[in-house]
Amino acid sequence: MTNYLKNAFKSMGMTPQNAPIPGTTQVANSAGGYSWKVNDWQRLSRFLVLGSQSGTYYISEKALTIENANAVLNCIREDGLRVVREIVAISEAGRAPKNDPAIFALALVAAKGDDAARKAALDALPQVCRTGTHLFLFAEYVQTLRGWGRGLRRAVGTWYQALEPRKLAYQMVKYRQREGWTHTDTLRLAHPKPVTDSHGAIYKWVTHREEANWAADIVPPDDEALAFIWAFERVQTAQNVDTVLKLVQAYDLPREALPTQWLNEAAVWEALLTKMPLTAMIRNLGVMSKVGLLTPMSDAEQTIVTRLGNADMLRKARIHPIAVLSALRVYAQGRGVRGESTWNPTSRVIDALDAAFYLAFQNVEPANKRMMLALDVSGSMSMGAIAGVPGLTPRDGSAAMALVTAKTEPNYTIISFQNQIVPLNISARMRLDDAIKVTHGLPFGATDCAQPMLYALEKKLKVDTFVIYTDSETWANPALHPVQALAQYREKTGIPAQLIVVAMTSNGFTIASPDDPGMLDIVGFDSATPQIMSDFARGMI
Ligand code: CA
């Protein structure tokens, strides 16, 4: 570009994307363009929701995790109690696809916070680590970050003591190990004094299982919690399917309690389905089809469809939209992720999963604004996997997120862009996995996040709110930045248009100016995100 042009552009509020807008705090992004750096608190939210598993196009999983950990540490230094509150808010409401980042962040506070923050982190342990698996993961993280001091031992002990005996027995049977940790390890470290006789008997069973021979007793103990453990031991030695069925039905044994040889029987799955938690049900749809239980017009199909349609149940079980989406994609294709098993999916279950995806978001009210939903489908958006879900790229996730708003808003258009507009044929009536297939197949291209605003200007589209789903790694426009395109749009149309940037990776950049109240940076696949978008578009936040 000649100096004449450069100077002319500058006077018109135009800066090439490979240079920072003068007078702003823009920084170089990973693609060689300039964006803003999100602050550490925003980074914390991105990390808690999106995690850093599988990295991004530009940055490895390890490097991304270190960047995010440093941001979390900065937040802990600034206000450790606030970090604990953020962790609890996202984890307890099930707003993130995976709980692992919350557990990691909690372990960081428990290790690196000041006295008050460390105490708050340990007090929050039962709220964030709700299963034995979560507890083991916490133990693994915290062990590498700090020693087993008294506070930590007491907190882990309290975790066990606070459970009622029957719930304690369930945790012991269902979640027996992870990350090389077992309840034997955590109990030996924490050494809780039993609060009831049942607790004592359960601890003893865990730590001295070989010495006790529970399965030898033909009669179950009177105590409900101990009877559950007895049933678990009995089912290990069951010789026929009738015995297995009786034990599952009488004691509500979960799938994890059964030796795998019984998991090829339709009758066993039928018995399990009666009390099966929703998470397990959603994960095992393929298996239940494969063994012949879940077939068209079967009772099992009716049960499953009814449960998937129950928004309260979905929310109580903290079913995240990503979990539903992931199940839908696998179930609908009729074969497991590793391709080892196949089944015939039923149409009603596929449709029920499609509907459950939308139900799993927190209530969304329409903003009733003219919305342009713009998907960044450039090359970088097709690398990495959201929340570690195999094959679910940020670009695929964008399509699914855009459909949530498209389903809610009466007045919207969906476009997609690279360094030019890319034709895209998806609409709110499409099934999720079909919409994702459309975006998934697009070719790679460069990135220019100014395209949506330029397109709206050129086509004279009236837009109140631009929503851009992106990693904010914009670089490919030699003339102007996204916010400058938005400024032009506002000036030429007289519409005070807003910009919402939906972050689809946990990197540290945003194209939204932190100084413009008409712009919002939020995290993709937080189940609260569609509602926050709607509130912002209506001027409520
Ligand atoms: Ca890109």
Side-chain angles (χ1 to χ4, degrees), residues 320-334:
H320 193 273
I322 284 271
V324 181
L325 177 59
S326 172
L328 168 63
R329 295 180 78 202
V330 175
Y331 183 69
Q333 73 185 12

Side-chain angles (χ1 to χ4, degrees), residues 85-103:
R85 284 197 302 275
E86 300 265 329
I87 293 169
V88 171
I90 287 180
S91 176
E92 255 202 325
R95 281 166 50 193
K98 294 240 165 102
N99 200 31
D100 297 12
I103 296 170

